[in-house]
Coordinates of all heavy atoms in Angstrom, one line a residue:
Chain A
N110 N 199.0 236.7 43.3 CA 198.4 235.5 42.8 C 198.8 235.2 41.3 O 198.4 236.0 40.4 CB 196.8 235.6 42.8 CG 196.1 234.4 42.2 OD1 196.7 233.5 41.8 ND2 194.8 234.5 42.2
P111 N 199.7 234.2 41.1 CA 200.2 234.0 39.7 C 199.1 233.7 38.7 O 199.3 233.9 37.5 CB 201.1 232.8 39.9 CG 200.8 232.2 41.2 CD 200.1 233.2 42.1
N112 N 197.9 233.2 39.2 CA 196.9 232.9 38.3 C 195.9 234.1 38.1 O 194.8 233.9 37.5 CB 196.1 231.6 38.8 CG 195.4 230.9 37.7 OD1 195.9 230.8 36.6 ND2 194.2 230.5 38.0
C113 N 196.2 235.2 38.6 CA 195.3 236.4 38.5 C 195.4 237.0 37.1 O 196.5 237.0 36.4 CB 195.7 237.5 39.5 SG 194.7 239.0 39.4
I114 N 194.3 237.4 36.6 CA 194.2 238.0 35.2 C 195.2 239.2 35.0 O 195.6 239.4 33.9 CB 192.7 238.4 34.9 CG1 192.5 238.7 33.4 CG2 192.3 239.6 35.7 CD1 192.5 237.4 32.5
T117 N 198.8 238.5 33.4 CA 198.8 237.9 32.1 C 199.1 239.1 31.1 O 199.4 240.2 31.5 CB 197.4 237.3 31.7 OG1 196.5 238.4 31.7 CG2 197.0 236.3 32.7
E119 N 197.0 240.5 29.3 CA 195.8 241.3 29.1 C 196.1 242.8 29.4 O 196.9 243.1 30.3 CB 194.7 240.8 30.0 CG 194.2 239.4 29.7 CD 193.5 239.2 28.3 OE1 193.0 240.2 27.8 OE2 193.5 238.0 27.8
P120 N 195.4 243.7 28.7 CA 195.7 245.1 28.9 C 194.9 245.6 30.1 O 194.1 246.5 30.0 CB 195.1 245.7 27.6 CG 194.0 244.8 27.2 CD 194.4 243.4 27.6
V121 N 195.3 245.1 31.3 CA 194.7 245.5 32.5 C 195.8 245.8 33.6 O 196.7 245.1 33.7 CB 193.7 244.5 33.0 CG1 194.4 243.1 33.2 CG2 192.9 244.9 34.2
R124 N 194.8 246.5 40.2 CA 194.2 247.5 41.0 C 193.7 246.9 42.4 O 193.3 245.7 42.4 CB 192.9 248.0 40.3 CG 192.4 249.3 40.8 CD 191.4 250.0 39.8 NE 190.1 249.5 39.9 CZ 189.4 249.0 38.9 NH1 189.9 248.9 37.7 NH2 188.2 248.6 39.1
V138 N 191.2 243.8 43.1 CA 189.9 244.0 42.6 C 189.4 242.9 41.7 O 188.2 242.6 41.6 CB 189.8 245.4 41.9 CG1 188.6 245.6 41.1 CG2 190.0 246.5 42.9
Y139 N 190.4 242.2 41.1 CA 190.1 241.2 40.1 C 189.9 239.8 40.7 O 188.9 239.2 40.6 CB 191.1 241.2 39.0 CG 191.1 242.5 38.2 CD1 191.9 243.6 38.6 CD2 190.1 242.7 37.2 CE1 191.7 244.8 37.9 CE2 190.0 243.9 36.6 CZ 190.8 244.9 36.9 OH 190.7 246.1 36.3
C140 N 190.9 239.3 41.4 CA 190.9 238.0 41.9 C 190.6 237.9 43.4 O 190.3 236.8 43.9 CB 192.2 237.2 41.6 SG 193.5 237.7 42.7
Chain B
N85 N 193.7 238.3 22.7 CA 193.5 238.4 24.2 C 192.0 238.4 24.5 O 191.2 238.7 23.7 CB 194.4 239.5 24.8 CG 193.9 240.9 24.4 OD1 192.8 241.1 24.0 ND2 194.8 241.8 24.4
L86 N 191.8 238.2 25.8 CA 190.4 238.2 26.2 C 189.7 239.5 26.1 O 188.6 239.7 25.7 CB 190.3 237.7 27.7 CG 188.9 237.7 28.4 CD1 188.0 236.8 27.7 CD2 189.1 237.4 29.8
A87 N 190.5 240.6 26.4 CA 189.9 241.9 26.3 C 189.4 242.3 24.9 O 188.3 242.7 24.7 CB 190.9 243.0 26.8
H104 N 186.5 231.1 32.3 CA 187.9 231.3 32.0 C 188.8 230.8 33.1 O 188.5 230.8 34.2 CB 188.1 232.8 31.8 CG 189.3 233.2 31.1 ND1 190.6 233.3 31.7 CD2 189.6 233.6 29.8 CE1 191.5 233.7 30.8 NE2 190.9 233.8 29.6
P105 N 190.0 230.3 32.7 CA 190.9 229.7 33.7 C 191.5 230.7 34.7 O 192.1 230.3 35.7 CB 191.9 228.9 32.9 CG 191.9 229.5 31.6 CD 190.5 230.0 31.3
K106 N 191.6 232.0 34.3 CA 192.3 233.0 35.1 C 191.3 233.6 36.1 O 190.3 234.1 35.8 CB 192.9 234.0 34.3 CG 194.1 233.5 33.4 CD 195.3 233.2 34.2 CE 196.4 232.6 33.3 NZ 197.5 232.2 34.1
E107 N 191.8 233.7 37.4 CA 191.0 234.4 38.4 C 190.9 235.9 38.1 O 191.9 236.5 37.8 CB 191.6 234.2 39.8 CG 191.4 232.7 40.2 CD 192.4 232.4 41.4 OE1 192.4 233.1 42.4 OE2 193.1 231.4 41.2
G108 N 189.7 236.4 38.2 CA 189.5 237.8 37.9 C 189.1 238.1 36.5 O 188.9 239.3 36.1
A109 N 189.1 237.1 35.6 CA 188.9 237.3 34.2 C 187.5 237.9 34.0 O 187.3 238.8 33.1 CB 189.0 235.9 33.4
R111 N 185.7 239.8 36.0 CA 185.7 241.2 36.4 C 186.3 242.1 35.3 O 185.8 243.1 34.9 CB 186.5 241.4 37.7 CG 186.7 242.8 38.1 CD 185.5 243.4 38.9 NE 185.3 242.6 40.1 CZ 184.1 242.5 40.8 NH1 183.0 243.1 40.3 NH2 184.0 241.9 41.9
M112 N 187.5 241.6 34.8 CA 188.1 242.4 33.7 C 187.2 242.4 32.5 O 187.1 243.5 31.9 CB 189.5 241.8 33.3 CG 190.2 242.6 32.3 SD 191.5 241.7 31.4 CE 190.5 240.9 30.2
E115 N 184.7 245.1 32.4 CA 185.2 246.4 32.1 C 185.4 246.7 30.6 O 185.5 247.9 30.2 CB 186.5 246.6 32.9 CG 186.4 246.6 34.4 CD 187.7 246.6 35.1 OE1 188.8 246.5 34.5 OE2 187.6 246.7 36.4
F116 N 185.5 245.7 29.9 CA 185.6 245.8 28.4 C 184.3 245.6 27.6 O 184.3 245.9 26.4 CB 186.7 244.9 27.9 CG 188.1 245.3 28.2 CD1 188.7 244.9 29.4 CD2 188.8 246.2 27.4 CE1 190.0 245.3 29.7 CE2 190.1 246.6 27.7 CZ 190.7 246.2 28.9

Side-chain angles (χ1 to χ4, degrees):
Chain A
N110 175 3
N112 202 40
C113 178
I114 193 75
T117 63
E119 297 292 338
V121 61
R124 195 162 87 237
V138 167
Y139 294 93
C140 76
Chain B
N85 65 27
L86 176 63
H104 196 278
K106 294 287 177 185
E107 290 162 52
R111 176 83 64 204
M112 188 201 76
E115 294 172 352
F116 284 89

